[in-house]
Amino acid sequence: MRKILFFFGLTLFIFAVSLPQADAAQKKRQLAKSAKSTIVAKSSKSSRFSKSSISAKRKVSKTFVATKHKTVSHATAAPLKPSFGQMAGLHGATDSLDLKSSVALVIDQETNEVLFSKNEQAVLPIASLTKLMTGLVLREAKLPMDQMITISQADVDTEKGSKSRLGVGTELTRGELLHLALMSSENRAAHALARSYPGGLSIFVGLMNAKALSIGMSDTQYVEPTGLSSKNQSSARDLAKLVNIAHSDPILRELTTSPDYQVAVGNRTLQFNNTNRLVKNPSWDIGLQKTGYISEAGRCLVMQTKIAGRKLIMVFLDSAGKLSRIADAERVRRWVESRSAGRSTSVPLASAAGEKIIHFQ
């Protein structure tokens, strides 16, 4: 009996002890389950937040890109300022060679016969063709070419805001400045040459106009020595006369047709190139040339050249494209060569506007 009671009591004791442990285990399982649910919930929430964030970022990114593209698509380049020739309707004139220059003139230098003409009487801005007269006046003054001239603030372009590698304070000889002005159309060089002339800039410009009148350039006027001003104007007929006179000076011939030139500026050596690519073309025989460009004048070119045994003077004004004046010169050359085959050089080829004679003086 005692054993039975002992066994029963021991069972009750074990049950009493194991019950709290089971309770604790149950609670522990419940807590673990609850914690797991919380973690899953948080993870799900975090995932939803992350996806939402990524979506929002993508949306912002797309909006930014779209806005950027929209801005770019609405950005338009400022329209080019029309040239005087365009405003006058000169580009509407047609010719048999389909030239892109609104004004053209080709003359036999030895016979003075007009071979081709197009709007040759139009008076237009001539841009840096001006520098040919600047060089002619300077050469006739016979000033010392080795005299040093300093680029000053007065030589900085305030007309068009053009740039230059000749900084204020640069010292070069008169000969070097003349070379750069005629070959690479250096504006500060041309202005410094005129400014440093005895009597100053106004005297020099007066001499330019006087020289123009003396050689029969009745349609021409100059207000400054670079060509940056659209008030420097002339006609193709007048410019042909200028080319003819300038070609008689061997220095002007040499400097205008020089392919490139180097000058020492401080501790640096600067290389300048000719603005007319044809001078480096072996198929061309060019005795004198000058290019010019401002928006009011378009692209301009004058040349003395030899084609098919004939010495010719070519003038192209107000050409619309960057390379079109060169292309026009090539068209004229091919035309002269094709028409000259099997004919006497004493007979004029043709004229787009009727045969004319221009007398050089």
Side-chain angles (χ1 to χ4, degrees), residues 314-341:
M314 297 183 179
V315 179
F316 303 100
L317 302 181
D318 188 33
S319 189
K322 189 173 182 180
L323 300 177
S324 55
R325 59 188 169 185
I326 301 297
D328 283 354
E330 293 282 8
R331 286 188 186 94
V332 168
R333 189 182 73 157
R334 289 194 297 269
W335 177 72
V336 171
E337 289 172 339
S338 65
R339 296 294 296 270
S340 294

Side-chain angles (χ1 to χ4, degrees), residues 9-23:
L10 182 60
T11 303
L12 286 175
F13 175 78
I14 293 171
F15 181 78
V17 171
S18 62
L19 186 60
Q21 288 179 349
D23 241 359

Side-chain angles (χ1 to χ4, degrees), residues 1-256:
M1 185 69 176
R2 231 187 265 172
K3 286 182 180 179
I4 293 172
L5 288 174
F6 174 76
F7 179 77
F8 182 74
L10 182 60
T11 303
L12 286 175
F13 175 78
I14 293 171
F15 181 78
V17 171
S18 62
L19 186 60
Q21 288 179 349
D23 241 359
Q26 179 67 21
K27 286 181 180 179
K28 189 174 181 181
R29 283 195 297 270
Q30 287 179 348
L31 284 173
K33 188 176 180 180
S34 175
K36 187 177 180 181
S37 298
T38 304
I39 290 170
V40 170
K42 284 184 177 179
S43 175
S44 176
K45 184 177 180 182
S46 174
S47 176
R48 286 196 304 272
F49 174 76
S50 178
K51 289 179 180 177
S52 176
S53 175
I54 291 170
S55 177
K57 284 181 180 178
R58 285 177 179 168
K59 188 175 181 181
V60 169
S61 177
K62 286 180 180 178
T63 303
F64 173 76
V65 171
T67 304
K68 185 177 180 182
H69 286 172
K70 187 177 180 181
T71 304
V72 171
S73 65
H74 283 293
T76 54
L80 294 175
K81 188 175 181 180
S83 68
F84 280 29
Q86 288 173 325
M87 290 189 289
L90 296 181
H91 281 271
T94 59
D95 62 84
S96 58
L97 300 183
D98 192 27
L99 302 184
K100 304 308 177 185
S101 302
S102 71
V103 173
L105 184 63
V106 182
I107 297 175
D108 187 305
Q109 188 179 16
E110 295 179 321
T111 65
N112 298 340
E113 294 162 332
V114 173
L115 308 184
F116 186 91
S117 64
K118 177 183 178 182
N119 294 325
E120 83 285 350
Q121 297 182 3
V123 178
L124 297 172
I126 57 174
S128 286
L129 301 185
T130 296
K131 294 183 178 75
L132 203 52
M133 178 61 82
T134 300
L136 181 60
V137 170
L138 194 69
R139 283 287 300 152
E140 292 187 347
K142 300 188 184 303
L143 297 174
M145 289 293 108
D146 58 353
Q147 181 179 344
M148 299 300 294
I149 297 174
T150 303
I151 301 295
S152 74
Q153 188 62 40
D155 302 319
V156 176
D157 171 25
T158 57
E159 181 81 25
K160 294 289 189 292
S162 61
K163 304 299 181 184
S164 171
R165 288 189 289 164
L166 301 182
V168 174
T170 298
E171 289 187 339
L172 294 173
T173 65
R174 180 175 282 112
E176 288 173 323
L177 291 175
L178 182 60
H179 200 151
L180 295 180
L182 292 174
M183 182 199 73
S184 61
S185 216
E186 232 298 334
N187 292 313
R188 290 185 187 179
H191 194 277
L193 289 170
R195 175 184 52 78
S196 61
Y197 189 87
L201 183 63
S202 60
I203 294 296
F204 189 89
V205 174
L207 290 172
M208 292 173 70
N209 285 302
K211 184 63 180 177
L213 286 175
S214 72
I215 60 177
M217 297 174 68
S218 56
D219 296 327
T220 302
Q221 71 163 358
Y222 299 102
V223 299
E224 50 85 33
T226 68
L228 289 167
S229 172
S230 61
K231 293 180 181 179
N232 284 4
Q233 299 183 2
S234 187
S235 64
R237 295 185 306 176
D238 279 10
L239 290 169
K241 296 174 183 178
L242 174 59
V243 170
N244 184 58
I245 296 296
H247 182 258
S248 64
D249 187 309
I251 298 299
L252 294 181
R253 292 200 302 269
E254 178 186 349
L255 298 187
T256 61

Side-chain angles (χ1 to χ4, degrees), residues 277-347:
R277 63 172 61 189
L278 292 180
V279 300
K280 295 183 179 180
N281 189 331
S283 66
W284 279 86
D285 182 3
I286 300 174
L288 180 134
Q289 69 79 38
K290 187 70 194 77
T291 64
Y293 171 75
I294 56 174
S295 58
E296 298 94 329
R299 308 280 173 176
C300 305
L301 172 64
V302 295
M303 289 195 301
Q304 188 280 346
T305 184
K306 191 173 182 180
I307 299 175
R310 306 184 74 169
K311 292 181 179 179
L312 304 179
I313 291 176
M314 297 183 179
V315 179
F316 303 100
L317 302 181
D318 188 33
S319 189
K322 189 173 182 180
L323 300 177
S324 55
R325 59 188 169 185
I326 301 297
D328 283 354
E330 293 282 8
R331 286 188 186 94
V332 168
R333 189 182 73 157
R334 289 194 297 269
W335 177 72
V336 171
E337 289 172 339
S338 65
R339 296 294 296 270
S340 294
R343 53 167 293 282
S344 171
T345 57
S346 63
V347 180

